[in-house]
Amino acid sequence: QVQLVESGGGLVQTGGSLRLSCAASGRTFSTYTMGWFRQAPGKEREFVAAISRGGMNTYYRDSVKGRFTISRDNTKNTVFLQMDSLKPEDTAVYYCAAGTLTAAIWPKRPVNDIDYWGKGTLVTVSS
């Protein structure tokens, strides 16, 4: 069992930055692929970024490439999402996720394939 707790959301102006953190419980953090999803009002939850177990490989949705960076610290059981050059369309609840599927296929898999979810943190980008 893995419990995930997100933090770092908030209100920011267009062009600003935020850094999300996700703290995971348990001693098996390094055995999980970790990632971030988001859900805007009235829309389905969508993939944002994923990082492999050792942190060497990362994957992003096209609309955030070059602006968002996912990283992890396996010594602290934490995954991060650095978000720069934020746009109003990035406004959403951001969810931390953990799973056993390899990170490379996360962009194409349905959300039901994710094993564990956090409760989410709200990011609002004002225009």
Side-chain angles (χ1 to χ4, degrees), residues 43-113:
K43 295 188 177 181
E44 294 185 349
R45 192 170 298 190
E46 63 183 18
F47 168 80
V48 175
I51 187 166
S52 60
R53 295 169 182 80
M56 294 298 294
N57 299 304
T58 58
Y59 304 87
Y60 301 91
R61 70 180 299 105
D62 287 345
S63 62
V64 307
K65 286 179 181 177
R67 300 188 298 121
F68 290 11
T69 304
I70 188 171
S71 61
R72 66 190 295 166
D73 184 342
N74 286 347
T75 66
K76 297 181 178 179
N77 286 11
T78 304
V79 62
F80 305 97
L81 185 68
Q82 177 67 40
M83 304 186 295
D84 300 317
S85 302
L86 282 161
K87 304 176 181 181
E89 51 263 43
D90 295 318
T91 295
V93 176
Y94 283 71
Y95 296 91
C96 181
T100 55
L101 296 175
T102 182
I105 65 173
W106 273 41
K108 301 179 181 179
R109 299 300 298 180
V111 296
N112 288 343
D113 284 353

Side-chain angles (χ1 to χ4, degrees), residues 109-122:
R109 299 300 298 180
V111 296
N112 288 343
D113 284 353
I114 301 302
D115 297 295
Y116 300 103
W117 295 97
K119 293 184 178 181
T121 185
L122 177 62

